[in-house]
Amino acid sequence: MPDTPAPAVRRGGRRVLAAVLCALAGVAAVASPARAGAGEVTEYPITSTAAGFPSGITTGPDGALWFAQSGADRIGRMAADGTVADHPTPTAGSAPFGITTGPDGALWFTESGADRIGRITTAGRITEYRLPRADSTPLGITTGPDGALWFTESDANRIGRITTAGRITEYAVPTPDGSPHSITAGPDGALWFTELLGGKAGRIDRTGRITEFPLGADDFPDDIVAGPGGMWVTASGTNSVDRVDSTGRVTRFPLPEPDSGPSGITRGPDGQVWFAEQAGRIGRVTQAGAVEEFPVPSGADKVPFRLATGPNGSVWFTELPGNALGRVRALPR
């Protein structure tokens, strides 16, 4: 049942999120357009709150962009004209991280600092559901083919499932301290997730059975999406985008620039796989492995982080310390 809002206390063990936020704090946003045509980048500063640290992003059922503001304990909504509305979470210190459109016409999000799953209607009404374990650190979240929401619990090393009525089930990840990070629905009716510290991609079916596929101990797989030929994963440790097929076979596509820091990933409206580089670029890669990169103005200071396919043939992304959303045109190659 829904949780009664109560103040949350910052605890230890927030390894991934705390490291990112602390290392990138204090960088200001600057908005400007860049290069015309395919890959044209436009930025929209978030002026409603400072140091929001926008992380997860999704297109809502109302056609607007909805995003989690990890540093401000808010859920944001950006309309087509760039105006932003903020909705504070009931629990202080919630640090919302991932967000997705649910099967019930609402937005569902993780509260990494408060060990809760949140639900917000397009009218801004928020309900929270407390997880069974403290220090779970929920991060990624997605809608499953079974009509439930599936999410990762980084510090609890579990995959969670919550129904739209709020019933929660958890499944332990076989690899100790694997640190499940991002999760998405696959074309095979299962959910696929990354293990940031375990160096693996995982697959969990509707019964909770988990299969793991090693990528490499130094991969640090971050985000994951279904794309041409399999599941696509960003791997910051090897500076690459990896593809994993249904048998676990891994194909690695190295990025042209060193230390790119690939992070978020999504399937664009052009059918290609798009990804964010924390070094300051947005890239796309074909099934054959051809990579194009598009610079974000002052991008190395902005840190492009998570992506979502949005309206008007564009890919949208968050700028974590840049406190802005960006849009890149996803024209066919």
Side-chain angles (χ1 to χ4, degrees), residues 91-116:
T91 302
S94 60
F97 189 82
I99 188 168
T100 192
T101 298
D104 55 352
L107 292 302
W108 289 74
F109 57 95
T110 56
E111 297 186 15
S112 64
D115 300 317
R116 290 166 168 82

Side-chain angles (χ1 to χ4, degrees), residues 34-46:
R35 67 181 294 181
E40 176 189 1
V41 176
T42 308
E43 296 170 285
Y44 300 85
I46 298 169

Side-chain angles (χ1 to χ4, degrees), residues 142-237:
T142 193
T143 295
D146 56 351
L149 288 302
W150 291 74
F151 55 94
T152 61
E153 298 179 46
S154 178
D155 284 358
N157 208 45
R158 293 173 179 268
I159 301 299
R161 176 185 184 271
I162 183 170
T163 68
T164 53
R167 181 182 177 186
I168 296 172
T169 310
E170 298 175 305
Y171 306 95
V173 172
T175 298
D177 297 320
S179 187
H181 199 63
S182 299
I183 189 167
T184 193
D188 54 356
L191 288 303
W192 287 72
F193 59 94
T194 57
E195 296 180 33
L196 186 69
L197 301 182
K200 297 177 180 179
R203 177 188 184 275
I204 181 169
D205 63 22
R206 300 187 195 188
T207 69
R209 185 179 66 176
I210 294 178
T211 307
E212 296 174 300
F213 303 100
L215 300 176
D218 297 325
D219 270 44
F220 295 104
D222 185 350
D223 208 0
I224 186 168
V225 72
M231 306 302 297
W232 293 71
V233 176
T234 50
S236 60

Side-chain angles (χ1 to χ4, degrees), residues 57-60 63-65 266-269 307-317 327-328 330:
I57 184 172
T58 191
T59 299
L65 280 303
T266 194
R267 183 82 176 268
L307 305 99
T309 294
N312 302 321
S314 297
V315 171
W316 289 75
F317 58 95
R327 184 188 69 195
V328 57

Side-chain angles (χ1 to χ4, degrees), residues 270-320:
D270 57 351
Q272 305 298 331
V273 172
W274 288 74
F275 56 94
E277 299 180 30
Q278 294 185 51
R281 294 174 292 272
I282 302 297
R284 69 174 168 183
V285 57
T286 68
Q287 185 173 359
V291 175
E292 284 183 287
E293 295 174 308
F294 307 101
V296 175
S298 302
D301 293 331
K302 307 291 188 57
V303 188
F305 192 59
R306 288 291 188 262
L307 305 99
T309 294
N312 302 321
S314 297
V315 171
W316 289 75
F317 58 95
T318 55
E319 296 180 357
L320 196 62

